[in-house]
PDB file of all heavy atoms in Angstrom:
ATOM      1  N   LEU W 315      15.938  -5.329   8.560  1.00 91.00           N
ATOM      2  CA  LEU W 315      14.595  -5.642   8.082  1.00 91.00           C
ATOM      3  C   LEU W 315      13.792  -6.326   9.170  1.00 91.00           C
ATOM      4  O   LEU W 315      14.331  -7.094   9.968  1.00 91.00           O
ATOM      5  CB  LEU W 315      14.662  -6.559   6.850  1.00 91.00           C
ATOM      6  CG  LEU W 315      14.370  -5.915   5.493  1.00 91.00           C
ATOM      7  CD1 LEU W 315      15.376  -4.815   5.218  1.00 91.00           C
ATOM      8  CD2 LEU W 315      14.437  -6.948   4.380  1.00 91.00           C
ATOM      9  N   GLY W 316      12.494  -6.087   9.162  1.00 86.00           N
ATOM     10  CA  GLY W 316      11.625  -6.759  10.116  1.00 86.00           C
ATOM     11  C   GLY W 316      10.210  -6.249  10.008  1.00 86.00           C
ATOM     12  O   GLY W 316       9.944  -5.207   9.396  1.00 86.00           O
ATOM     13  N   ALA W 317       9.298  -7.007  10.589  1.00 82.00           N
ATOM     14  CA  ALA W 317       7.895  -6.606  10.582  1.00 82.00           C
ATOM     15  C   ALA W 317       7.704  -5.378  11.465  1.00 82.00           C
ATOM     16  O   ALA W 317       8.563  -5.028  12.280  1.00 82.00           O
ATOM     17  CB  ALA W 317       7.020  -7.756  11.088  1.00 82.00           C
ATOM     18  N   GLY W 318       6.578  -4.707  11.295  1.00 81.00           N
ATOM     19  CA  GLY W 318       6.263  -3.574  12.140  1.00 81.00           C
ATOM     20  C   GLY W 318       6.193  -3.990  13.597  1.00 81.00           C
ATOM     21  O   GLY W 318       5.568  -4.985  13.943  1.00 81.00           O
ATOM     22  N   LYS W 322      13.042  -2.694  15.210  1.00 89.00           N
ATOM     23  CA  LYS W 322      14.113  -2.262  14.308  1.00 89.00           C
ATOM     24  C   LYS W 322      14.712  -0.932  14.749  1.00 89.00           C
ATOM     25  O   LYS W 322      15.935  -0.786  14.838  1.00 89.00           O
ATOM     26  CB  LYS W 322      13.563  -2.142  12.873  1.00 89.00           C
ATOM     27  CG  LYS W 322      12.943  -3.393  12.312  1.00 89.00           C
ATOM     28  CD  LYS W 322      12.491  -3.207  10.890  1.00 89.00           C
ATOM     29  CE  LYS W 322      11.354  -2.228  10.747  1.00 89.00           C
ATOM     30  NZ  LYS W 322      10.109  -2.666  11.411  1.00 89.00           N
ATOM     31  N   ASP W 394      10.908   2.384   4.545  1.00 86.00           N
ATOM     32  CA  ASP W 394       9.822   1.867   3.714  1.00 86.00           C
ATOM     33  C   ASP W 394       8.747   2.911   3.473  1.00 86.00           C
ATOM     34  O   ASP W 394       7.883   2.724   2.612  1.00 86.00           O
ATOM     35  CB  ASP W 394       9.194   0.632   4.371  1.00 86.00           C
ATOM     36  CG  ASP W 394       8.932   0.822   5.847  1.00 86.00           C
ATOM     37  OD1 ASP W 394       9.905   0.856   6.610  1.00 86.00           O
ATOM     38  OD2 ASP W 394       7.764   0.936   6.235  1.00 86.00           O
ATOM     39  N   PRO W 397      10.733   4.338  -0.076  1.00 90.00           N
ATOM     40  CA  PRO W 397      11.850   3.429  -0.403  1.00 90.00           C
ATOM     41  C   PRO W 397      12.685   3.862  -1.601  1.00 90.00           C
ATOM     42  O   PRO W 397      13.909   3.787  -1.559  1.00 90.00           O
ATOM     43  CB  PRO W 397      11.132   2.097  -0.667  1.00 90.00           C
ATOM     44  CG  PRO W 397       9.719   2.450  -0.970  1.00 90.00           C
ATOM     45  CD  PRO W 397       9.422   3.688  -0.204  1.00 90.00           C
ATOM     46  N   SER W 420      13.927  -0.784   7.746  1.00 91.00           N
ATOM     47  CA  SER W 420      12.855  -0.817   6.753  1.00 91.00           C
ATOM     48  C   SER W 420      12.123  -2.138   6.864  1.00 91.00           C
ATOM     49  O   SER W 420      12.571  -3.056   7.559  1.00 91.00           O
ATOM     50  CB  SER W 420      13.432  -0.634   5.344  1.00 91.00           C
ATOM     51  OG  SER W 420      12.417  -0.657   4.363  1.00 91.00           O
ATOM     52  N   ARG W 421      10.995  -2.218   6.169  1.00 86.00           N
ATOM     53  CA  ARG W 421      10.279  -3.485   6.075  1.00 86.00           C
ATOM     54  C   ARG W 421      10.559  -4.175   4.756  1.00 86.00           C
ATOM     55  O   ARG W 421      10.047  -5.259   4.509  1.00 86.00           O
ATOM     56  CB  ARG W 421       8.785  -3.249   6.262  1.00 86.00           C
ATOM     57  CG  ARG W 421       8.469  -2.522   7.568  1.00 86.00           C
ATOM     58  CD  ARG W 421       6.999  -2.406   7.856  1.00 86.00           C
ATOM     59  NE  ARG W 421       6.748  -1.442   8.925  1.00 86.00           N
ATOM     60  CZ  ARG W 421       5.603  -1.272   9.555  1.00 86.00           C
ATOM     61  NH1 ARG W 421       4.571  -2.007   9.222  1.00 86.00           N
ATOM     62  NH2 ARG W 421       5.465  -0.382  10.499  1.00 86.00           N
ATOM     63  N   GLU W 422      11.387  -3.539   3.912  1.00 86.00           N
ATOM     64  CA  GLU W 422      11.818  -4.166   2.672  1.00 86.00           C
ATOM     65  C   GLU W 422      13.206  -3.645   2.316  1.00 86.00           C
ATOM     66  O   GLU W 422      13.581  -2.531   2.688  1.00 86.00           O
ATOM     67  CB  GLU W 422      10.833  -3.883   1.537  1.00 86.00           C
ATOM     68  CG  GLU W 422      10.561  -2.412   1.292  1.00 86.00           C
ATOM     69  CD  GLU W 422       9.505  -2.197   0.227  1.00 86.00           C
ATOM     70  OE1 GLU W 422       9.640  -2.810  -0.849  1.00 86.00           O
ATOM     71  OE2 GLU W 422       8.552  -1.433   0.465  1.00 86.00           O
ATOM     72  N   SER W 423      13.980  -4.439   1.587  1.00 89.00           N
ATOM     73  CA  SER W 423      15.345  -4.059   1.250  1.00 89.00           C
ATOM     74  C   SER W 423      15.364  -3.135   0.046  1.00 89.00           C
ATOM     75  O   SER W 423      14.373  -2.992  -0.675  1.00 89.00           O
ATOM     76  CB  SER W 423      16.187  -5.314   0.976  1.00 89.00           C
ATOM     77  OG  SER W 423      15.664  -6.003  -0.141  1.00 89.00           O
ATOM     78  N   ARG W 433      17.953  -9.408   8.979  1.00 91.00           N
ATOM     79  CA  ARG W 433      16.576  -9.516   9.454  1.00 91.00           C
ATOM     80  C   ARG W 433      16.568  -9.634  10.973  1.00 91.00           C
ATOM     81  O   ARG W 433      17.184 -10.536  11.536  1.00 91.00           O
ATOM     82  CB  ARG W 433      15.871 -10.715   8.830  1.00 91.00           C
ATOM     83  CG  ARG W 433      15.618 -10.548   7.341  1.00 91.00           C
ATOM     84  CD  ARG W 433      14.722 -11.646   6.790  1.00 91.00           C
ATOM     85  NE  ARG W 433      14.483 -11.452   5.374  1.00 91.00           N
ATOM     86  CZ  ARG W 433      13.510 -10.693   4.875  1.00 91.00           C
ATOM     87  NH1 ARG W 433      12.678 -10.078   5.710  1.00 91.00           N
ATOM     88  NH2 ARG W 433      13.358 -10.544   3.581  1.00 91.00           N
ATOM     89  N   TRP W 574       0.166   0.221   8.379  1.00 73.00           N
ATOM     90  CA  TRP W 574       1.273   0.969   7.757  1.00 73.00           C
ATOM     91  C   TRP W 574       1.905   0.153   6.628  1.00 73.00           C
ATOM     92  O   TRP W 574       2.272   0.683   5.590  1.00 73.00           O
ATOM     93  CB  TRP W 574       2.290   1.300   8.844  1.00 73.00           C
ATOM     94  CG  TRP W 574       3.515   2.034   8.389  1.00 73.00           C
ATOM     95  CD1 TRP W 574       4.696   1.499   8.025  1.00 73.00           C
ATOM     96  CD2 TRP W 574       3.658   3.456   8.269  1.00 73.00           C
ATOM     97  NE1 TRP W 574       5.581   2.473   7.685  1.00 73.00           N
ATOM     98  CE2 TRP W 574       4.973   3.695   7.827  1.00 73.00           C
ATOM     99  CE3 TRP W 574       2.813   4.538   8.481  1.00 73.00           C
ATOM    100  CZ2 TRP W 574       5.459   4.977   7.598  1.00 73.00           C
ATOM    101  CZ3 TRP W 574       3.310   5.817   8.266  1.00 73.00           C
ATOM    102  CH2 TRP W 574       4.610   6.029   7.833  1.00 73.00           C
ATOM    103  N   SER W 575       2.053  -1.150   6.827  1.00 78.00           N
ATOM    104  CA  SER W 575       2.632  -2.016   5.793  1.00 78.00           C
ATOM    105  C   SER W 575       1.583  -2.472   4.785  1.00 78.00           C
ATOM    106  O   SER W 575       1.848  -2.536   3.583  1.00 78.00           O
ATOM    107  CB  SER W 575       3.277  -3.249   6.442  1.00 78.00           C
ATOM    108  OG  SER W 575       4.360  -2.903   7.242  1.00 78.00           O
ATOM    109  N   TYR W 576       0.393  -2.801   5.272  1.00 83.00           N
ATOM    110  CA  TYR W 576      -0.642  -3.378   4.402  1.00 83.00           C
ATOM    111  C   TYR W 576      -1.012  -2.432   3.267  1.00 83.00           C
ATOM    112  O   TYR W 576      -1.285  -2.876   2.146  1.00 83.00           O
ATOM    113  CB  TYR W 576      -1.868  -3.709   5.245  1.00 83.00           C
ATOM    114  CG  TYR W 576      -2.980  -4.385   4.483  1.00 83.00           C
ATOM    115  CD1 TYR W 576      -2.933  -5.756   4.212  1.00 83.00           C
ATOM    116  CD2 TYR W 576      -4.076  -3.665   4.023  1.00 83.00           C
ATOM    117  CE1 TYR W 576      -3.953  -6.382   3.509  1.00 83.00           C
ATOM    118  CE2 TYR W 576      -5.100  -4.283   3.328  1.00 83.00           C
ATOM    119  CZ  TYR W 576      -5.035  -5.641   3.074  1.00 83.00           C
ATOM    120  OH  TYR W 576      -6.050  -6.251   2.379  1.00 83.00           O
ATOM    121  N   ARG W 577      -1.001  -1.129   3.536  1.00 82.00           N
ATOM    122  CA  ARG W 577      -1.440  -0.185   2.509  1.00 82.00           C
ATOM    123  C   ARG W 577      -0.456  -0.086   1.343  1.00 82.00           C
ATOM    124  O   ARG W 577      -0.787   0.496   0.315  1.00 82.00           O
ATOM    125  CB  ARG W 577      -1.653   1.199   3.122  1.00 82.00           C
ATOM    126  CG  ARG W 577      -0.397   1.833   3.705  1.00 82.00           C
ATOM    127  CD  ARG W 577      -0.735   3.155   4.413  1.00 82.00           C
ATOM    128  NE  ARG W 577       0.414   3.727   5.073  1.00 82.00           N
ATOM    129  CZ  ARG W 577       1.329   4.497   4.471  1.00 82.00           C
ATOM    130  NH1 ARG W 577       1.207   4.754   3.184  1.00 82.00           N
ATOM    131  NH2 ARG W 577       2.344   4.982   5.159  1.00 82.00           N
ATOM    132  N   THR W 578       0.744  -0.662   1.505  1.00 79.00           N
ATOM    133  CA  THR W 578       1.719  -0.625   0.414  1.00 79.00           C
ATOM    134  C   THR W 578       1.621  -1.843  -0.499  1.00 79.00           C
ATOM    135  O   THR W 578       2.349  -1.925  -1.483  1.00 79.00           O
ATOM    136  CB  THR W 578       3.154  -0.548   0.978  1.00 79.00           C
ATOM    137  OG1 THR W 578       3.470  -1.775   1.650  1.00 79.00           O
ATOM    138  CG2 THR W 578       3.287   0.610   1.956  1.00 79.00           C
ATOM    139  N   LEU W 579       0.732  -2.808  -0.170  1.00 86.00           N
ATOM    140  CA  LEU W 579       0.658  -4.040  -0.943  1.00 86.00           C
ATOM    141  C   LEU W 579      -0.215  -3.863  -2.176  1.00 86.00           C
ATOM    142  O   LEU W 579      -1.206  -3.125  -2.157  1.00 86.00           O
ATOM    143  CB  LEU W 579       0.083  -5.179  -0.090  1.00 86.00           C
ATOM    144  CG  LEU W 579       0.864  -5.566   1.175  1.00 86.00           C
ATOM    145  CD1 LEU W 579       0.120  -6.666   1.910  1.00 86.00           C
ATOM    146  CD2 LEU W 579       2.273  -6.008   0.823  1.00 86.00           C
ATOM    147  N   GLY W 580       0.144  -4.577  -3.244  1.00 87.00           N
ATOM    148  CA  GLY W 580      -0.697  -4.636  -4.423  1.00 87.00           C
ATOM    149  C   GLY W 580      -1.835  -5.624  -4.224  1.00 87.00           C
ATOM    150  O   GLY W 580      -1.888  -6.339  -3.213  1.00 87.00           O
ATOM    151  N   ALA W 583      -0.707  -9.445  -3.710  1.00 89.00           N
ATOM    152  CA  ALA W 583      -0.015  -9.674  -2.439  1.00 89.00           C
ATOM    153  C   ALA W 583      -0.972  -9.539  -1.266  1.00 89.00           C
ATOM    154  O   ALA W 583      -0.927 -10.337  -0.321  1.00 89.00           O
ATOM    155  CB  ALA W 583       1.148  -8.694  -2.297  1.00 89.00           C
ATOM    156  N   PRO W 613       3.615 -12.722  -5.581  1.00 89.00           N
ATOM    157  CA  PRO W 613       3.056 -12.085  -4.385  1.00 89.00           C
ATOM    158  C   PRO W 613       3.713 -12.554  -3.094  1.00 89.00           C
ATOM    159  O   PRO W 613       3.843 -11.784  -2.137  1.00 89.00           O
ATOM    160  CB  PRO W 613       1.581 -12.472  -4.431  1.00 89.00           C
ATOM    161  CG  PRO W 613       1.506 -13.674  -5.300  1.00 89.00           C
ATOM    162  CD  PRO W 613       2.603 -13.512  -6.307  1.00 89.00           C
ATOM    163  N   LEU W 614       4.164 -13.811  -3.051  1.00 89.00           N
ATOM    164  CA  LEU W 614       4.829 -14.307  -1.853  1.00 89.00           C
ATOM    165  C   LEU W 614       6.153 -13.584  -1.644  1.00 89.00           C
ATOM    166  O   LEU W 614       6.522 -13.232  -0.512  1.00 89.00           O
ATOM    167  CB  LEU W 614       5.056 -15.812  -1.974  1.00 89.00           C
ATOM    168  CG  LEU W 614       5.634 -16.523  -0.748  1.00 89.00           C
ATOM    169  CD1 LEU W 614       4.722 -16.357   0.458  1.00 89.00           C
ATOM    170  CD2 LEU W 614       5.837 -18.010  -1.046  1.00 89.00           C
ATOM    171  N   SER W 615       6.871 -13.320  -2.738  1.00 88.00           N
ATOM    172  CA  SER W 615       8.133 -12.582  -2.636  1.00 88.00           C
ATOM    173  C   SER W 615       7.891 -11.176  -2.105  1.00 88.00           C
ATOM    174  O   SER W 615       8.684 -10.656  -1.302  1.00 88.00           O
ATOM    175  CB  SER W 615       8.810 -12.513  -4.007  1.00 88.00           C
ATOM    176  OG  SER W 615       9.122 -13.807  -4.480  1.00 88.00           O
ATOM    177  N   VAL W 616       6.812 -10.557  -2.541  1.00 86.00           N
ATOM    178  CA  VAL W 616       6.490  -9.217  -2.052  1.00 86.00           C
ATOM    179  C   VAL W 616       6.251  -9.237  -0.552  1.00 86.00           C
ATOM    180  O   VAL W 616       6.766  -8.390   0.191  1.00 86.00           O
ATOM    181  CB  VAL W 616       5.249  -8.662  -2.793  1.00 86.00           C
ATOM    182  CG1 VAL W 616       4.773  -7.362  -2.128  1.00 86.00           C
ATOM    183  CG2 VAL W 616       5.562  -8.419  -4.254  1.00 86.00           C
ATOM    184  N   LEU W 617       5.499 -10.220  -0.079  1.00 88.00           N
ATOM    185  CA  LEU W 617       5.197 -10.304   1.345  1.00 88.00           C
ATOM    186  C   LEU W 617       6.452 -10.564   2.171  1.00 88.00           C
ATOM    187  O   LEU W 617       6.614 -10.011   3.262  1.00 88.00           O
ATOM    188  CB  LEU W 617       4.165 -11.399   1.602  1.00 88.00           C
ATOM    189  CG  LEU W 617       2.771 -11.157   1.010  1.00 88.00           C
ATOM    190  CD1 LEU W 617       1.862 -12.344   1.300  1.00 88.00           C
ATOM    191  CD2 LEU W 617       2.159  -9.879   1.564  1.00 88.00           C
ATOM    192  N   VAL W 618       7.338 -11.400   1.648  1.00 86.00           N
ATOM    193  CA  VAL W 618       8.598 -11.677   2.354  1.00 86.00           C
ATOM    194  C   VAL W 618       9.471 -10.436   2.357  1.00 86.00           C
ATOM    195  O   VAL W 618      10.059 -10.064   3.379  1.00 86.00           O
ATOM    196  CB  VAL W 618       9.323 -12.873   1.721  1.00 86.00           C
ATOM    197  CG1 VAL W 618      10.722 -13.030   2.321  1.00 86.00           C
ATOM    198  CG2 VAL W 618       8.521 -14.157   1.926  1.00 86.00           C
ATOM    199  N   ASP W 619       9.568  -9.764   1.195  1.00 82.00           N
ATOM    200  CA  ASP W 619      10.401  -8.565   1.096  1.00 82.00           C
ATOM    201  C   ASP W 619       9.916  -7.469   2.034  1.00 82.00           C
ATOM    202  O   ASP W 619      10.718  -6.690   2.561  1.00 82.00           O
ATOM    203  CB  ASP W 619      10.413  -8.043  -0.340  1.00 82.00           C
ATOM    204  CG  ASP W 619      11.196  -8.951  -1.276  1.00 82.00           C
ATOM    205  OD1 ASP W 619      11.974  -9.788  -0.774  1.00 82.00           O
ATOM    206  OD2 ASP W 619      11.012  -8.841  -2.503  1.00 82.00           O
ATOM    207  N   LYS W 620       8.602  -7.380   2.247  1.00 80.00           N
ATOM    208  CA  LYS W 620       8.044  -6.346   3.108  1.00 80.00           C
ATOM    209  C   LYS W 620       7.916  -6.816   4.566  1.00 80.00           C
ATOM    210  O   LYS W 620       7.279  -6.150   5.380  1.00 80.00           O
ATOM    211  CB  LYS W 620       6.678  -5.895   2.578  1.00 80.00           C
ATOM    212  CG  LYS W 620       6.769  -5.118   1.270  1.00 80.00           C
ATOM    213  CD  LYS W 620       5.409  -4.651   0.800  1.00 80.00           C
ATOM    214  CE  LYS W 620       5.526  -3.850  -0.482  1.00 80.00           C
ATOM    215  NZ  LYS W 620       6.195  -2.553  -0.288  1.00 80.00           N
ATOM    216  N   SER W 621       8.500  -7.973   4.860  1.00 79.00           N
ATOM    217  CA  SER W 621       8.559  -8.500   6.229  1.00 79.00           C
ATOM    218  C   SER W 621       7.190  -8.788   6.823  1.00 79.00           C
ATOM    219  O   SER W 621       7.034  -8.827   8.037  1.00 79.00           O
ATOM    220  CB  SER W 621       9.324  -7.522   7.146  1.00 79.00           C
ATOM    221  OG  SER W 621      10.609  -7.276   6.647  1.00 79.00           O
ATOM    222  N   MET W 622       6.199  -9.015   5.983  1.00 84.00           N
ATOM    223  CA  MET W 622       4.884  -9.391   6.496  1.00 84.00           C
ATOM    224  C   MET W 622       4.747 -10.905   6.590  1.00 84.00           C
ATOM    225  O   MET W 622       3.857 -11.415   7.267  1.00 84.00           O
ATOM    226  CB  MET W 622       3.786  -8.814   5.613  1.00 84.00           C
ATOM    227  CG  MET W 622       3.814  -7.296   5.569  1.00 84.00           C
ATOM    228  SD  MET W 622       2.286  -6.574   4.985  1.00 84.00           S
ATOM    229  CE  MET W 622       1.250  -6.721   6.438  1.00 84.00           C
ATOM    230  N   VAL W 623       5.611 -11.613   5.901  1.00 87.00           N
ATOM    231  CA  VAL W 623       5.711 -13.070   5.992  1.00 87.00           C
ATOM    232  C   VAL W 623       7.179 -13.411   6.200  1.00 87.00           C
ATOM    233  O   VAL W 623       8.048 -12.837   5.539  1.00 87.00           O
ATOM    234  CB  VAL W 623       5.161 -13.759   4.724  1.00 87.00           C
ATOM    235  CG1 VAL W 623       5.512 -15.236   4.715  1.00 87.00           C
ATOM    236  CG2 VAL W 623       3.654 -13.566   4.623  1.00 87.00           C
ATOM    237  N   LEU W 624       7.465 -14.306   7.121  1.00 85.00           N
ATOM    238  CA  LEU W 624       8.841 -14.723   7.392  1.00 85.00           C
ATOM    239  C   LEU W 624       9.155 -15.978   6.599  1.00 85.00           C
ATOM    240  O   LEU W 624       8.418 -16.965   6.674  1.00 85.00           O
ATOM    241  CB  LEU W 624       9.036 -14.990   8.882  1.00 85.00           C
ATOM    242  CG  LEU W 624       8.704 -13.838   9.837  1.00 85.00           C
ATOM    243  CD1 LEU W 624       8.955 -14.274  11.274  1.00 85.00           C
ATOM    244  CD2 LEU W 624       9.509 -12.603   9.502  1.00 85.00           C
ATOM    245  N   ILE W 640       0.186 -10.056  12.952  1.00 85.00           N
ATOM    246  CA  ILE W 640      -0.065  -9.822  11.531  1.00 85.00           C
ATOM    247  C   ILE W 640      -1.160 -10.764  11.046  1.00 85.00           C
ATOM    248  O   ILE W 640      -2.038 -10.377  10.254  1.00 85.00           O
ATOM    249  CB  ILE W 640       1.236 -10.008  10.723  1.00 85.00           C
ATOM    250  CG1 ILE W 640       2.262  -8.962  11.130  1.00 85.00           C
ATOM    251  CG2 ILE W 640       0.961  -9.934   9.225  1.00 85.00           C
ATOM    252  CD1 ILE W 640       3.598  -9.083  10.436  1.00 85.00           C
TER     253      ILE W 640
END
Side-chain angles (χ1 to χ4, degrees):
L315 255 61
K322 303 183 294 296
D394 46 289
S420 180
R421 305 186 194 192
E422 55 184 310
S423 63
R433 291 189 179 273
W574 178 267
S575 295
Y576 183 80
R577 63 185 175 84
T578 67
L579 299 178
L614 185 60
S615 298
V616 171
L617 294 178
V618 172
D619 289 343
K620 291 182 178 292
S621 303
M622 299 198 78
V623 169
L624 303 180
I640 296 178

